[in-house]
């Protein structure tokens, strides 16, 4: 696939995550598919060193499908495609689980013994919808009062010894931000009165 992350950049980025001592890491740059590849490859490496349960929690199934198609390395795309159904996949001596922000998808992950949970990767898209609104869309308004705002992440932050959170232009308590130098900042330029980002590529535009 065009514009995949280079092996050297992927190696250096994963190495930076491995060397980060903080428990809860926030990746807040604008290249969602690149960041997901980096974070997932970190989980994959960690799973070979610390066998156990690993959770990938994505905002919704539509975003999961996009990540499975557009992540920036082939092995991440292939693994996520295998994980989509039945949302549970064994790799070596570890098990990966996929769920979403709405609690009705947490049946596979809610009963994981705490000692077995090694890390979680949480991915939020650019939607401004709160979890509570998502749950209303899923016909689960009776559950709203049970969960505080941001529970889709804080529940894992409390339970998991390591979390990686991908969310652009958001702030989260008790997280350590990490940025990768090879991901350039977005630069805007004006053309006939219209602002355009110089970092936009056709691969990033949804079909």
């Amino acid at each position: 696939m065009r514009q995949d992350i280079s092996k050297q950049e992927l190696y250096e980025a994963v190495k930076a995550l491995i060397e980060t001592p903080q428990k809860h890491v926030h990746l807040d740059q604008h290249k969602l598919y690149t960041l997901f590849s980096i974070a997932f490859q970190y989980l994959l490496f960690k799973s070979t060193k610390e066998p156990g349960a690993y959770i990938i929690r994505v905002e919704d199934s539509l975003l999961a499908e996009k990540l499975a198609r557009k992540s920036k390395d082939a092995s991440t795309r292939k693994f996520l495609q295998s994980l989509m159904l039945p949302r549970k996949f064994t790799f070596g001596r570890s098990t990966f689980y996929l769920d979403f922000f709405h609690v009705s998808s947490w049946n596979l992950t809610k009963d994981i013994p705490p000692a077995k949970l090694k890390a979680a990767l949480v991915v939020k898209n650019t939607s401004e919808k709160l979890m509570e609104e998502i749950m209303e869309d899923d016909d689960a308004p009776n559950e709203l009062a049970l969960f505080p705002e941001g529970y889709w992440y804080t529940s894992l932050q409390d339970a998991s010894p390591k979390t990686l959170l991908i969310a652009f232009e958001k702030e989260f308590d008790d997280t350590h931000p990490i940025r990768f130098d090879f991901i350039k900042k977005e630069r805007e330029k004006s053309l006939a009165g219209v602002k355009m980002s110089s970092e936009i590529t056709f691969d990033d535009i949804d079909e």
Side-chain angles (χ1 to χ4, degrees), residues 75-95:
S75 64
T76 295
R77 293 191 294 268
K78 184 177 179 180
F79 194 106
L80 194 56
Q81 288 163 10
S82 299
L83 184 60
M84 293 291 289
L85 287 174
R87 297 194 287 111
K88 179 179 178 181
F89 189 80
T90 299
F91 177 77
R93 294 183 293 156
S94 294
T95 304

Side-chain angles (χ1 to χ4, degrees), residues 45-62:
F45 173 82
K46 186 177 177 68
S47 74
T48 65
K49 304 299 181 182
E50 299 180 42
Y54 290 81
I55 296 173
I56 299 174
R57 179 167 293 169
V58 179
E59 182 153 347
D60 51 40
S61 59
L62 179 60

Side-chain angles (χ1 to χ4, degrees), residues 6-24:
S6 73
K7 291 183 179 180
Q8 185 62 31
E9 289 172 336
L10 186 57
Y11 170 82
E12 294 293 342
V14 171
K15 184 173 181 285
L17 292 180
I18 292 170
E19 294 174 348
T20 299
Q22 284 81 2
K23 292 174 58 178
H24 306 299

